[in-house]
Amino acid sequence: MKFAIAVHGTRGDIEPCAVVALELIRRGHDVSMAVPPNLIPFVQACGIGPALPYGVDSQQQLEASIFRKSWGIRNPRREWRELEDYLSQGWAEMSNALVALAQDADLILTGTTYQEVAANVAEHLDTPLASLHYFPFRANSVMFPCVPGWLAHAIWPMAESLYWRLMKRADIAQRRALGLPRTRKRAIRRIVELSAVEIQAYDPLLFDGLAQEWAGRRPLIGSLTLELDTDSDAHTNSWIDEGEPPIYFGFGSMPVECPAAAVAMITEVCAELGERALICSGVWDIPESSSPEVRIVRDINHARVFPKCRAVVHHGGAGTTAAGLRAGMPTFVLWISAEQPLWAKQVTKLGVGTSERFSIATPESIRTGLQTVLVPEYRRRAAKVAEQMRTPRDSVEAAADLLEAAARDGRAGEPQFTYVGSHRPADRHEHEMSPAAFDNTGCDVLTDRAHQRVIRFNAVHSSDRRIPVAE
């Protein structure tokens, strides 16, 4: 079978799709992939390619000035238009790239962001659509445990409507270019009705009751990761072995305005606590260095290095959070933007860590957070959570099984397939949902609306005790 995979975002968005692509290739399928131009070298180095460019440079997009603004009194119309323009960057280019990529494909797979682009192309080509979600992206009550179910479900369509209005111009223009009819139906509602399967690439342990609420229609398979070794792993492991286990600090693709200030704060706090610091600089423009107490490297293999640490401190990305939990690490989330506060909340709820907003962090608050997670009880609880997490191998096999079944279903009818646990993909439907396709017990499909990512604008603080952060 032929799979077309088109995904936009940072490495944290691209890597799960790359994991699935490699497994499908291993199974003998034809896989083509499109990713942001800055991440083409990454996927091709993994053995997938040649990859096509898909949209704008995602790192430049993340570092755009719109994320550097603090809250304040501004012209609402101007701000709306600026956000509207920002979210539609590269939309037409992504559409054209995916049309070329997906010719004769048996299934289109996309990620969490820019699903609207892929959905329109799938409709245009009459090709089954599947997606990977990295956090709960559809209507549910689990994320609002203190809110009545009816009110929780009412929140989602309002958020969906607001988000679609931001993307409506680009969506309408794409549908016109593809020769698709105009529609008054919101994009996410169309995606829900069109999708063959929406795979939840995070562990069900993190959202107790969600799998039951969705009744298997959106299978929760666990986090997907390549667990890639890096050139610095051997030296890093040697450095770790030369002293006490360090505390890991890393913030992935998230930019900050003054990386040097962040490193200085980390170094200061760890020195006061008598702890060693392993700092993964990621996209930060700071040189690699090493001393007995502090080591700075560009990248590490989380799966290999995390188990050797005392605790992990990070931005709360879905992949990094899962890696820390799988390693049984007490976790301190210093979240920055997007869905990261959600993962911070789940870490706290599990009793394996604490969290704080990065932009308001001070040496005193970081010291307090570290002292909290270094209490032995956090380590014991983290070890118990690690035992219950799904393995990367199980996760990728489940994802590939579901995609193969969805592709067969879309082209040849109902698949004969044994699914992992109680989870199975929803049957693909054109104009209506077949009652036999789902077990809808306890779930109102009509109110099953999409939760759209909330863009947060963190304040840039003038205090020299805080680190300004670009979100």
Side-chain angles (χ1 to χ4, degrees):
M1 288 184 284
K2 180 179 178 180
F3 294 86
I5 302 177
V7 57
H8 197 273
T10 64
R11 172 170 166 171
D13 299 285
I14 307 309
E15 182 167 333
C17 287
V19 175
V20 173
L22 289 172
E23 175 64 15
L24 291 172
I25 292 171
R26 188 188 70 80
R27 297 184 180 199
H29 299 298
D30 181 7
V31 177
S32 54
M33 195 165 184
V35 299
N38 55 303
L39 288 165
I40 287 178
F42 166 68
V43 298
Q44 292 187 164
C46 294
I48 307 165
L52 296 180
Y54 193 62
V56 300
D57 184 304
S58 60
Q59 193 60 43
Q60 292 181 5
Q61 191 179 44
L62 194 63
E63 295 172 356
S65 61
I66 191 170
F67 289 112
R68 298 178 183 269
K69 295 181 179 181
S70 59
W71 286 106
I73 299 175
R74 297 192 296 270
N75 185 311
R77 182 172 297 179
R78 183 185 305 152
E79 294 302 314
W80 178 273
R81 179 54 61 89
E82 184 177 350
L83 185 56
E84 188 178 42
D85 291 342
Y86 173 82
L87 292 174
S88 62
Q89 286 178 0
W91 193 290
E93 291 80 1
M94 286 187 283
S95 179
N96 293 335
L98 184 52
V99 168
L101 188 77
Q103 293 294 328
D104 301 320
D106 294 293
L107 183 134
I108 294 172
L109 173 64
T110 190
T112 303
T113 58
Y114 292 109
Q115 292 184 4
E116 299 82 359
V117 176
N120 285 332
V121 172
E123 182 180 345
H124 168 67
L125 297 176
D126 191 27
T127 301
L129 175 69
S131 57
L132 290 179
H133 292 183
Y134 309 135
F135 63 98
F137 201 57
R138 296 291 182 255
N140 69 85
S141 59
V142 172
M143 289 177 63
F144 305 101
C146 299
V147 175
W150 65 268
L151 180 57
H153 280 277
I155 293 172
W156 297 85
M158 291 187 290
E160 173 187 330
S161 178
L162 178 64
Y163 191 70
W164 186 58
R165 287 179 183 277
L166 284 168
M167 292 188 165
K168 191 173 182 179
R169 275 195 307 144
D171 183 65
I172 290 174
Q174 182 195 13
R175 292 184 65 83
R176 184 186 304 119
L178 294 174
L180 295 173
R182 289 182 63 92
T183 177
R184 299 180 63 183
K185 188 177 293 186
R186 291 190 288 268
I188 297 300
R189 178 49 34 198
R190 283 184 270 125
I191 293 171
V192 169
E193 295 178 357
L194 177 69
S195 293
V197 62
E198 294 180 318
I199 300 172
Q200 310 302 302
Y202 47 87
D203 205 286
L205 175 68
L206 296 167
F207 298 95
D208 186 35
L210 185 59
Q212 291 76 14
E213 180 173 339
W214 280 345
R217 291 176 295 115
R218 298 187 178 95
L220 279 66
I221 64 165
S223 178
L224 297 162
T225 175
L226 289 167
E227 297 187 319
L228 290 177
D229 290 329
T230 73
D231 294 337
S232 65
D233 286 343
H235 291 295
T236 297
N237 284 325
S238 296
W239 176 84
I240 292 174
D241 293 339
E242 290 170 359
E244 294 297 319
I247 298 172
Y248 167 86
F249 295 83
F251 298 90
S253 301
M254 304 307 298
V256 297
E257 290 187 353
C258 189
V263 171
M265 180 185 289
I266 291 168
T267 303
E268 173 190 340
V269 172
C270 286
E272 291 177 359
L273 294 175
E275 300 289 345
R276 303 170 78 206
L278 173 60
I279 303 173
C280 186
S281 59
V283 299
W284 294 0
D285 186 19
I286 54 177
E288 295 190 352
S289 64
S290 188
S291 70
E293 301 305 322
V294 179
R295 178 171 172 80
I296 301 174
V297 295
R298 184 68 58 194
D299 298 297
I300 64 164
N301 181 339
H302 292 163
R304 290 186 182 273
V305 174
F306 277 8
K308 295 186 174 184
C309 296
R310 286 203 67 193
V312 294
V313 181
H314 56 75
H315 58 301
T320 311
T321 300
L325 295 177
R326 279 173 170 159
M329 285 293 102
T331 300
F332 183 11
V333 175
L334 289 173
W335 62 269
I336 295 175
S337 67
E339 79 279 7
Q340 294 161 13
L342 171 64
W343 296 115
K345 177 183 176 182
Q346 300 311 114
V347 164
T348 303
K349 186 177 179 180
L350 287 172
V352 298
T354 188
S355 67
E356 183 179 23
R357 190 175 182 172
F358 187 98
S359 63
I360 64 172
T362 66
E364 292 77 15
S365 66
I366 292 179
R367 185 187 308 110
T368 300
L370 289 177
Q371 288 172 331
T372 298
V373 299
L374 291 176
V375 172
E377 183 58 31
Y378 279 82
R379 183 80 179 213
R380 287 192 289 269
R381 285 197 291 261
K384 292 180 180 179
V385 167
E387 294 173 356
Q388 302 173 63
M389 296 284 287
R390 296 190 174 179
T391 67
R393 186 69 238 164
D394 288 344
S395 297
V396 69
E397 287 181 354
D401 288 346
L402 289 161
L403 293 173
E404 287 177 331
R408 287 197 302 267
D409 187 26
R411 293 302 190 199
E414 173 102 312
Q416 299 300 313
F417 179 76
T418 301
Y419 298 96
V420 178
S422 61
H423 303 311
R424 58 169 297 157
D427 290 340
R428 184 169 183 253
H429 41 276
E430 298 295 341
H431 303 296
E432 64 181 5
M433 298 184 188
S434 168
F438 312 117
D439 173 8
N440 291 329
T441 305
C443 183
D444 182 357
V445 174
L446 295 178
T447 60
D448 188 12
R449 307 300 175 102
H451 176 222
Q452 296 301 328
R453 179 174 301 188
V454 178
I455 305 297
R456 294 178 171 82
F457 301 89
N458 283 358
V460 177
H461 298 275
S462 58
S463 168
D464 60 5
R465 301 296 285 174
R466 294 172 176 168
I467 306 171
V469 56
E471 297 181 8

